[in-house]
Amino acid sequence: MRVLAVLAVMFTHTTYQGPFLHPELGAPLGRYPFQVGASVLLVISAYFVCVTIRKGSTSRWLWRRVCRVLPPYLAAVLFTYTLLVFFGPSNWILPTRHDLWGNLTLAASFDPTVQLIDGSYWTLPLQLMAFAVAALLWPRGLGNRITTLLWIMILAPVALQWNGRIDHSPIWVIQLWNGLGLHRMQLFAIGIAIWLWSKNRISAPHLGALLVATVFAQHAHTADWPSSLGIGVLLLLVALAARGPDWTVFARFRRPIEFLARISFALYLLNQEVGYLIAYRLMEVGAGRLAQIIGAVVGVIGLAWLLTKYIEEPVFRAFSGLRVRGLRARAFAWLTT
């Protein structure tokens, strides 16, 4: 399901978002984007938070999560920035050093003077904040209150945003709203709900009601029914995958699925701006739209493999096993007790 979500992200970027942002690449495929992949990735991330946080020390779990996502993200920011600055077309809006600093420090979501070097980076602050909140709340335990919290996470942001309240708020409220990703909370809530259902802690009708509420909340925040309904379909598939049984029908495709799953995070980080740039340079040498898409996909897969093999995996192995000592240990202990 993670591979399917990442492929959905790449499909949207190569067929619609790229030509929409850079019309010289050709006409977009379709009149509207079908934006489902990134949202489903957040749902899957929330589900696996529940699966993995239960194993061992919470502070160590948080340290390992940070070691998993932050180093490849920082490397992707530096690589994409360098590539765009040196090889980006002059008619594109290219990132500045101020943008680079804002992306490296994860401040882009809060600072309106900073542009995201790659549009995919909006999920990183949300994931890290979700990891920190999970590490804070898990040791305390929520018991039966968890289902109440899920409904609040789904419906409270809708109520706060109703009738354009956020759009007409002071700029600092808008920045805080977008930076904290409060309009995405339903995605984390439904990921937790799917895990609860897979453990028989909530009923199927209860999960169904939460799924309907999530689709409604997604539409309330995006005004995009096709994408919201598409997310609903993928959420059903995620739930079926979580509850089992295993989908043995895909056994013959095990190796390519495992390969793409292995590099999925790097694919997500690199597919947008780097893919656009590859497509643009292929266009310059006379490649048609289909050749541009194929070239961009193949090029990004190769770069994602390099990022995974030589940065993400070795850095994770090197740092995840370290003991968190001193101030860091005391900080983690304070957060989780």
Side-chain angles (χ1 to χ4, degrees):
M1 287 305 304
R2 185 164 64 245
V3 169
L4 180 60
V6 170
L7 292 179
V9 171
M10 296 178 67
F11 176 82
T12 298
H13 290 161
T14 56
T15 62
Y16 179 87
Q17 201 70 30
F20 177 80
L21 296 174
H22 307 290
E24 63 272 19
L25 295 177
L29 179 62
R31 297 178 57 186
Y32 302 102
F34 192 57
Q35 298 176 325
V36 299
S39 296
V40 174
L41 285 173
L42 289 180
V43 173
I44 294 172
S45 179
Y47 171 84
F48 277 108
V49 165
C50 298
V51 171
T52 58
I53 198 172
R54 303 164 64 246
K55 303 173 182 178
S57 165
T58 308
S59 61
R60 187 162 188 78
W61 171 86
L62 179 57
W63 173 248
R64 288 173 64 86
R65 291 305 90 206
V66 172
C67 290
R68 171 63 73 186
V69 303
L70 198 56
Y73 166 73
L74 297 176
V77 170
L78 290 170
F79 175 75
T80 304
Y81 171 81
T82 303
L83 203 66
L84 289 173
V85 166
F86 286 98
F87 301 102
S90 59
N91 61 326
W92 286 16
I93 300 176
L94 301 177
T96 64
R97 292 183 180 179
H98 179 63
D99 296 325
L100 175 62
W101 178 249
N103 281 258
L104 289 174
T105 57
L106 298 172
S109 298
F110 299 91
D111 188 347
T113 67
V114 176
Q115 69 167 339
L116 288 173
I117 293 176
D118 188 293
S120 299
Y121 297 165
W122 66 267
T123 63
L124 266 296
L126 305 190
Q127 285 183 286
L128 291 173
M129 284 187 286
F131 294 156
V133 171
L136 177 65
L137 294 180
W138 182 265
R140 290 166 168 78
L142 293 173
N144 294 329
R145 294 172 295 174
I146 184 66
T147 54
T148 302
L149 178 62
L150 296 183
W151 282 105
I152 293 173
M153 290 171 65
I154 294 172
L155 297 179
V158 176
L160 290 172
Q161 191 173 321
W162 201 257
N163 288 329
R165 290 190 182 95
I166 298 299
D167 296 334
H168 298 93
S169 299
I171 186 64
W172 67 268
V173 175
I174 297 174
Q175 292 172 8
L176 195 63
W177 177 269
N178 293 327
L180 294 176
L182 297 180
H183 55 304
R184 311 281 184 177
M185 287 178 62
Q186 71 275 4
L187 302 174
F188 295 103
I190 198 62
I192 297 169
I194 290 172
W195 177 78
L196 291 172
W197 179 69
S198 72
K199 297 299 180 183
N200 294 309
R201 292 180 57 180
I202 63 173
S203 66
H206 194 170
L207 176 64
L210 288 166
L211 283 170
V212 171
T214 297
V215 172
F216 167 74
Q218 188 71 16
H219 170 67
H221 297 307
T222 63
D224 182 355
W225 266 124
S227 296
S228 299
L229 293 173
I231 288 171
V233 172
L234 289 180
L235 290 181
L236 288 174
L237 293 178
V238 172
L240 292 175
R243 188 73 173 254
D246 291 341
W247 298 348
T248 56
V249 67
F250 295 108
R252 69 183 68 182
F253 307 109
R254 183 183 184 90
R255 291 187 65 181
I257 290 174
E258 287 182 341
F259 171 74
L260 291 174
R262 175 189 173 192
I263 67 171
S264 59
F265 185 49
L267 273 177
Y268 177 78
L269 292 172
L270 295 175
N271 83 95
Q272 191 164 348
E273 290 297 332
V274 174
Y276 299 164
L277 186 57
I278 294 173
Y280 183 90
R281 294 307 176 190
L282 288 173
M283 179 206 66
E284 284 191 319
V285 299
R289 190 73 191 99
L290 181 59
Q292 294 172 29
I293 293 173
I294 294 173
V297 170
V298 172
V300 167
I301 288 176
L303 292 170
W305 176 77
L306 292 173
L307 177 61
T308 301
K309 182 174 178 61
Y310 294 106
I311 294 180
E312 179 182 345
E313 293 177 343
V315 171
F316 177 74
R317 287 194 297 268
F319 286 94
S320 64
L322 296 178
R323 293 184 178 275
V324 184
R325 297 175 178 173
L327 289 176
R328 288 177 298 178
R330 287 195 291 272
F332 282 130
W334 179 82
L335 281 172
T336 58
T337 58

